[in-house]
Amino acid sequence: MRCGVRKADLFASLVVFLVALPLCVGVAIASGVPAELGLVTGIVGGLVAGALPGSSLQVSGPAAGLTVLVYEAVDSYGVEVLGVLVLGAGLVQLGLGALRLGRWFRAVSAAVVQGMLAGIGLVLVAGQVYSLGDAAAPATGLGKIAGLVSLPGLVDSVALSVGGATIAVLLLWPRWRRGARVVPAPLVAVAVVSAVTGVFDLGVRRVDVRGLVDAVRVPEAADFGRLTEVGVIGTVVAFALIASAESLFSAAAVDRLHRGPRTDYNRELMAQGAGNAVCGVLGALPMTAVIVRSAANVQAGARTKASRVLHGAWLLLFTAVVPGVLGVIPVAALAGLLVYAGCRLVPVREVRALWRGHRGEVVVLVVTAGAIVVGNLLEGVLVGLALAVGKTAWDVSHVHVETEDRGDAGVVVRVLGHATFLRLPKLLEALEALPHDRAVRLELGGLRHVDHACAAALEGWAAARGHEPMATSSSTT
């Protein structure tokens, strides 16, 4: 049995390695940093985060979900500050895990998370469409989308063909199920396109390789001085919160794919924090748990954490022995890989399902995605969270006013539900419509909650009718 488990983990680690290799490089290029830094994060995700307790089968590394935020951070503060940002985020995650706050990330509205992924996907696709044709992309998400109109005159047709062929292979290869189980589509697509490009010596831009040691940059003392800047602190918090949320949501999804031990969310959060702290020390990209690699790990038959640790070892071996292979990969091929990944981040099926029963959630999702496209990732998530909280407050603020006419005994009015400022106009409208020439008995025993605004309004209404100030938790006349 042990031998069987070991073979299963060994095979799964090779499958995950083949999935992770092109994605690590592609995410790094899209983030505006050397390709090797993506591989460093993948290695740390396997050897460090993979060895720690938390989720036994979840695989960590650089993810498309943080590409937009990393690109904005590198553009604003420079690649030399990236290590400080990632190290700070890792320490925040360690603190959150030590305080046992991991489970609270599960309370984030699903619509906000889906909107975040949709916004990231849209910006990622809009940016990588330029790289498909070896064209320069505008800096902002809105600029990238607006620039698509003039893009046809800027692209290189050969590079566009290379990127298009990559997407075609990604779509077609999974249809051959036997082959797809052995060799993952991302590796097939990149390998085939790279081979064709090399054989025919096509003049397209290729990945710039500097070597793993040359790409690593340990933060210097002066870099830590940037932590006094409000924008840098905000970016650290954004890295930590978004990476944590994506990792823990991924853990919940992976738990549904297997019957093994369930995820300990606080330990998983600390494992992610430790991994990001190491990535920060090495000046690499931030890591999250990645559902694509994790699902590949489970589907390949992994049984223990050995598979994810070994996948990190294979990445390290590859970069140490044959780093020059990266130099033959066309940038357009990686762009095609990320366009495909970005499209899969847009939850089209989920939106259709939500629209049938929860249209308010669709509004939260769309507004969150739109805010990310127009502004940036942090602003979009904050807008989405605020809207989700507002929607929840509106949903629970149900006030029902019942009126019973008792003839000569007057009118009895019962107020039921939650009386908050959001429903105050409706409540006052019902009370002010009551006849002024009859006795009114107002019963508030059915109220489960009354906020200060409604309590003050009820007191004012009672005083205007000549009644004594009322206690909102009991009946009054």
Side-chain angles (χ1 to χ4, degrees):
M1 178 63 71
R2 288 184 179 180
C3 184
V5 170
R6 289 175 182 172
K7 287 181 179 179
D9 287 330
L10 179 62
F11 175 74
S13 71
L14 289 170
V15 171
V16 177
F17 158 68
L18 296 176
V19 173
L21 178 62
L23 287 173
C24 287
V25 176
V27 169
I29 298 297
S31 300
V33 302
E36 293 85 352
L37 292 184
L39 291 169
V40 171
T41 299
I43 293 168
V44 174
L47 299 182
V48 178
L52 295 174
S55 174
S56 60
L57 299 182
Q58 183 164 250
V59 182
S60 300
L66 281 175
T67 300
V68 176
L69 187 57
V70 173
Y71 182 89
E72 292 171 352
V74 171
D75 185 58
S76 299
Y77 308 114
V79 70
E80 63 275 4
V81 183
L82 180 60
V84 173
L85 298 173
V86 178
L87 174 59
L91 295 177
V92 170
Q93 288 179 301
L94 284 169
L96 294 174
L99 293 172
R100 304 188 64 81
L101 298 177
R103 61 192 178 93
W104 288 102
F105 283 90
R106 302 174 70 186
V108 177
S109 167
V112 174
V113 175
Q114 291 172 338
M116 178 188 77
L117 295 176
I120 291 169
L122 291 172
V123 175
L124 185 61
V125 170
Q128 293 306 304
V129 164
Y130 292 85
S131 297
L132 276 176
D134 280 352
T140 65
L142 195 59
K144 291 171 183 174
I145 293 176
L148 294 177
V149 178
S150 57
L151 182 60
L154 303 175
V155 299
D156 180 280
S157 58
V158 176
L160 186 61
S161 300
V162 169
T166 304
I167 296 174
V169 175
L170 288 169
L171 293 172
L172 296 175
W173 181 256
R175 296 187 177 184
W176 184 29
R177 294 183 179 180
R178 180 177 298 179
R181 283 197 296 266
V182 177
V183 185
L187 182 70
V188 174
V190 173
V192 169
V193 171
S194 299
V196 172
T197 303
V199 169
F200 291 96
D201 193 23
L202 301 180
V204 295
R205 188 161 58 100
R206 290 174 170 79
V207 175
D208 182 23
V209 181
R210 297 191 306 176
L212 200 63
V213 176
D214 294 333
V216 169
R217 182 186 183 279
V218 178
E220 299 176 356
D223 299 328
F224 288 95
R226 302 294 298 273
L227 289 173
T228 58
E229 301 177 21
V230 175
V232 171
I233 295 174
T235 302
V236 168
V237 174
F239 274 0
L241 296 183
I242 293 173
S244 300
E246 187 169 344
S247 295
L248 298 184
F249 274 104
S250 173
V254 173
D255 281 349
R256 291 194 292 267
L257 297 177
H258 67 91
R259 298 180 180 179
R262 304 293 92 180
T263 298
D264 183 319
Y265 287 90
N266 293 310
R267 287 185 174 183
E268 178 63 19
L269 188 55
M270 295 189 73
Q272 295 294 323
N276 272 320
V278 175
C279 287
V281 171
L282 298 176
L285 290 172
M287 75 166 58
T288 72
V290 187
I291 188 62
V292 174
R293 285 165 232 180
S294 303
N297 190 39
V298 175
Q299 292 165 2
R303 295 291 182 269
T304 70
K305 67 174 65 176
S307 61
R308 59 186 192 175
V309 175
L310 282 172
H311 117 274
W314 301 137
L315 286 173
L316 178 59
L317 182 64
F318 174 86
T319 54
V321 176
V322 285
V325 173
L326 298 177
V328 305
I329 300 176
V331 172
L334 296 176
L337 181 63
L338 290 173
V339 166
Y340 177 77
C343 289
R344 297 188 67 176
L345 288 175
V346 181
V348 177
R349 293 181 180 177
E350 289 81 354
V351 170
R352 290 175 180 172
L354 282 174
W355 185 254
R356 289 193 291 268
H358 305 278
R359 296 190 177 184
E361 295 293 299
V362 175
V363 173
V364 174
L365 189 156
V366 172
V367 170
T368 302
I372 291 172
V373 172
V374 174
N376 57 50
L377 185 58
L378 178 58
E379 292 174 356
V381 170
L382 292 177
V383 169
L385 288 173
L387 187 59
V389 170
K391 175 186 174 296
T392 301
W394 178 264
D395 288 342
V396 301
S397 297
H398 288 297
V399 172
H400 183 60
V401 180
E402 295 180 352
T403 303
E404 180 183 353
D405 191 340
R406 294 187 177 178
D408 294 339
V411 179
V412 176
V413 179
R414 301 181 186 88
V415 184
L416 312 171
H418 297 79
T420 70
F421 70 95
L422 295 172
R423 301 293 182 170
L424 186 54
K426 174 183 177 180
L427 178 59
L428 289 177
E429 182 180 348
L431 294 176
E432 290 168 357
L434 295 172
H436 291 271
D437 56 349
R438 301 185 63 186
V440 176
R441 179 181 178 83
L442 184 61
E443 297 183 352
L444 305 179
L447 283 175
R448 292 186 292 274
H449 172 74
V450 183
D451 69 6
H452 177 71
C454 283
L458 290 170
E459 294 281 358
W461 178 84
R465 295 187 67 97
H467 299 306
E468 293 296 324
M470 61 182 66
T472 56
S473 60
S474 61
S475 301
T476 185
T477 57

PDB file of all heavy atoms in Angstrom, residues 385-399:
ATOM      1  N   LEU A 385     -17.227  44.915  -1.295  1.00  0.00           N
ATOM      2  CA  LEU A 385     -17.537  44.594   0.096  1.00  0.00           C
ATOM      3  C   LEU A 385     -18.557  45.568   0.674  1.00  0.00           C
ATOM      4  O   LEU A 385     -19.497  45.171   1.367  1.00  0.00           O
ATOM      5  CB  LEU A 385     -16.261  44.607   0.938  1.00  0.00           C
ATOM      6  CG  LEU A 385     -15.287  43.447   0.713  1.00  0.00           C
ATOM      7  CD1 LEU A 385     -13.997  43.680   1.480  1.00  0.00           C
ATOM      8  CD2 LEU A 385     -15.921  42.124   1.125  1.00  0.00           C
ATOM      9  N   ALA A 386     -18.364  46.867   0.389  1.00  0.00           N
ATOM     10  CA  ALA A 386     -19.306  47.871   0.894  1.00  0.00           C
ATOM     11  C   ALA A 386     -20.703  47.630   0.328  1.00  0.00           C
ATOM     12  O   ALA A 386     -21.713  47.721   1.046  1.00  0.00           O
ATOM     13  CB  ALA A 386     -18.813  49.272   0.527  1.00  0.00           C
ATOM     14  N   LEU A 387     -20.771  47.322  -0.952  1.00  0.00           N
ATOM     15  CA  LEU A 387     -22.069  47.071  -1.580  1.00  0.00           C
ATOM     16  C   LEU A 387     -22.717  45.804  -1.014  1.00  0.00           C
ATOM     17  O   LEU A 387     -23.939  45.768  -0.785  1.00  0.00           O
ATOM     18  CB  LEU A 387     -21.889  46.944  -3.097  1.00  0.00           C
ATOM     19  CG  LEU A 387     -23.170  46.850  -3.936  1.00  0.00           C
ATOM     20  CD1 LEU A 387     -24.038  48.083  -3.722  1.00  0.00           C
ATOM     21  CD2 LEU A 387     -22.824  46.703  -5.421  1.00  0.00           C
ATOM     22  N   ALA A 388     -21.905  44.766  -0.772  1.00  0.00           N
ATOM     23  CA  ALA A 388     -22.442  43.526  -0.210  1.00  0.00           C
ATOM     24  C   ALA A 388     -22.986  43.750   1.198  1.00  0.00           C
ATOM     25  O   ALA A 388     -24.054  43.230   1.558  1.00  0.00           O
ATOM     26  CB  ALA A 388     -21.356  42.453  -0.193  1.00  0.00           C
ATOM     27  N   VAL A 389     -22.264  44.535   2.003  1.00  0.00           N
ATOM     28  CA  VAL A 389     -22.739  44.842   3.350  1.00  0.00           C
ATOM     29  C   VAL A 389     -24.037  45.648   3.287  1.00  0.00           C
ATOM     30  O   VAL A 389     -24.996  45.390   4.029  1.00  0.00           O
ATOM     31  CB  VAL A 389     -21.656  45.610   4.137  1.00  0.00           C
ATOM     32  CG1 VAL A 389     -22.221  46.150   5.447  1.00  0.00           C
ATOM     33  CG2 VAL A 389     -20.463  44.710   4.415  1.00  0.00           C
ATOM     34  N   GLY A 390     -24.070  46.640   2.383  1.00  0.00           N
ATOM     35  CA  GLY A 390     -25.285  47.440   2.220  1.00  0.00           C
ATOM     36  C   GLY A 390     -26.473  46.596   1.773  1.00  0.00           C
ATOM     37  O   GLY A 390     -27.592  46.768   2.274  1.00  0.00           O
ATOM     38  N   LYS A 391     -26.221  45.679   0.852  1.00  0.00           N
ATOM     39  CA  LYS A 391     -27.297  44.806   0.372  1.00  0.00           C
ATOM     40  C   LYS A 391     -27.811  43.917   1.507  1.00  0.00           C
ATOM     41  O   LYS A 391     -29.024  43.724   1.659  1.00  0.00           O
ATOM     42  CB  LYS A 391     -26.796  43.941  -0.781  1.00  0.00           C
ATOM     43  CG  LYS A 391     -27.825  42.916  -1.260  1.00  0.00           C
ATOM     44  CD  LYS A 391     -27.229  42.001  -2.297  1.00  0.00           C
ATOM     45  CE  LYS A 391     -28.218  40.890  -2.641  1.00  0.00           C
ATOM     46  NZ  LYS A 391     -28.506  40.014  -1.484  1.00  0.00           N
ATOM     47  N   THR A 392     -26.887  43.381   2.299  1.00  0.00           N
ATOM     48  CA  THR A 392     -27.290  42.533   3.412  1.00  0.00           C
ATOM     49  C   THR A 392     -28.111  43.317   4.427  1.00  0.00           C
ATOM     50  O   THR A 392     -29.137  42.836   4.939  1.00  0.00           O
ATOM     51  CB  THR A 392     -26.047  41.931   4.100  1.00  0.00           C
ATOM     52  OG1 THR A 392     -25.312  41.175   3.139  1.00  0.00           O
ATOM     53  CG2 THR A 392     -26.449  41.033   5.258  1.00  0.00           C
ATOM     54  N   ALA A 393     -27.655  44.536   4.719  1.00  0.00           N
ATOM     55  CA  ALA A 393     -28.406  45.382   5.658  1.00  0.00           C
ATOM     56  C   ALA A 393     -29.819  45.665   5.128  1.00  0.00           C
ATOM     57  O   ALA A 393     -30.798  45.653   5.881  1.00  0.00           O
ATOM     58  CB  ALA A 393     -27.655  46.694   5.888  1.00  0.00           C
ATOM     59  N   TRP A 394     -29.928  45.905   3.848  1.00  0.00           N
ATOM     60  CA  TRP A 394     -31.235  46.161   3.241  1.00  0.00           C
ATOM     61  C   TRP A 394     -32.121  44.920   3.303  1.00  0.00           C
ATOM     62  O   TRP A 394     -33.315  44.994   3.596  1.00  0.00           O
ATOM     63  CB  TRP A 394     -31.057  46.608   1.799  1.00  0.00           C
ATOM     64  CG  TRP A 394     -32.350  46.852   1.069  1.00  0.00           C
ATOM     65  CD1 TRP A 394     -33.017  46.003   0.250  1.00  0.00           C
ATOM     66  CD2 TRP A 394     -33.146  48.043   1.142  1.00  0.00           C
ATOM     67  NE1 TRP A 394     -34.157  46.572  -0.210  1.00  0.00           N
ATOM     68  CE2 TRP A 394     -34.276  47.838   0.310  1.00  0.00           C
ATOM     69  CE3 TRP A 394     -33.008  49.258   1.803  1.00  0.00           C
ATOM     70  CZ2 TRP A 394     -35.259  48.799   0.131  1.00  0.00           C
ATOM     71  CZ3 TRP A 394     -33.989  50.226   1.628  1.00  0.00           C
ATOM     72  CH2 TRP A 394     -35.108  49.984   0.801  1.00  0.00           C
ATOM     73  N   ASP A 395     -31.506  43.748   3.026  1.00  0.00           N
ATOM     74  CA  ASP A 395     -32.278  42.508   3.022  1.00  0.00           C
ATOM     75  C   ASP A 395     -32.838  42.167   4.403  1.00  0.00           C
ATOM     76  O   ASP A 395     -33.963  41.660   4.520  1.00  0.00           O
ATOM     77  CB  ASP A 395     -31.408  41.349   2.532  1.00  0.00           C
ATOM     78  CG  ASP A 395     -31.123  41.438   1.033  1.00  0.00           C
ATOM     79  OD1 ASP A 395     -31.855  42.175   0.339  1.00  0.00           O
ATOM     80  OD2 ASP A 395     -30.172  40.779   0.575  1.00  0.00           O
ATOM     81  N   VAL A 396     -32.050  42.411   5.449  1.00  0.00           N
ATOM     82  CA  VAL A 396     -32.508  42.038   6.791  1.00  0.00           C
ATOM     83  C   VAL A 396     -33.379  43.120   7.422  1.00  0.00           C
ATOM     84  O   VAL A 396     -34.012  42.876   8.447  1.00  0.00           O
ATOM     85  CB  VAL A 396     -31.312  41.732   7.722  1.00  0.00           C
ATOM     86  CG1 VAL A 396     -30.473  40.609   7.162  1.00  0.00           C
ATOM     87  CG2 VAL A 396     -30.473  42.969   7.986  1.00  0.00           C
ATOM     88  N   SER A 397     -33.407  44.302   6.827  1.00  0.00           N
ATOM     89  CA  SER A 397     -34.198  45.398   7.407  1.00  0.00           C
ATOM     90  C   SER A 397     -35.642  45.333   6.921  1.00  0.00           C
ATOM     91  O   SER A 397     -36.132  46.257   6.261  1.00  0.00           O
ATOM     92  CB  SER A 397     -33.572  46.744   7.030  1.00  0.00           C
ATOM     93  OG  SER A 397     -32.286  46.861   7.576  1.00  0.00           O
ATOM     94  N   HIS A 398     -36.330  44.272   7.245  1.00  0.00           N
ATOM     95  CA  HIS A 398     -37.725  44.132   6.858  1.00  0.00           C
ATOM     96  C   HIS A 398     -38.623  44.605   7.993  1.00  0.00           C
ATOM     97  O   HIS A 398     -38.539  44.109   9.113  1.00  0.00           O
ATOM     98  CB  HIS A 398     -38.045  42.671   6.522  1.00  0.00           C
ATOM     99  CG  HIS A 398     -37.447  42.216   5.221  1.00  0.00           C
ATOM    100  ND1 HIS A 398     -37.790  42.775   4.014  1.00  0.00           N
ATOM    101  CD2 HIS A 398     -36.524  41.267   4.946  1.00  0.00           C
ATOM    102  CE1 HIS A 398     -37.116  42.185   3.044  1.00  0.00           C
ATOM    103  NE2 HIS A 398     -36.332  41.283   3.583  1.00  0.00           N
ATOM    104  N   VAL A 399     -39.468  45.579   7.705  1.00  0.00           N
ATOM    105  CA  VAL A 399     -40.429  46.095   8.680  1.00  0.00           C
ATOM    106  C   VAL A 399     -41.830  45.904   8.115  1.00  0.00           C
ATOM    107  O   VAL A 399     -42.107  46.306   6.978  1.00  0.00           O
ATOM    108  CB  VAL A 399     -40.181  47.582   8.990  1.00  0.00           C
ATOM    109  CG1 VAL A 399     -41.310  48.139   9.846  1.00  0.00           C
ATOM    110  CG2 VAL A 399     -38.865  47.749   9.709  1.00  0.00           C
TER     111      VAL A 399
END
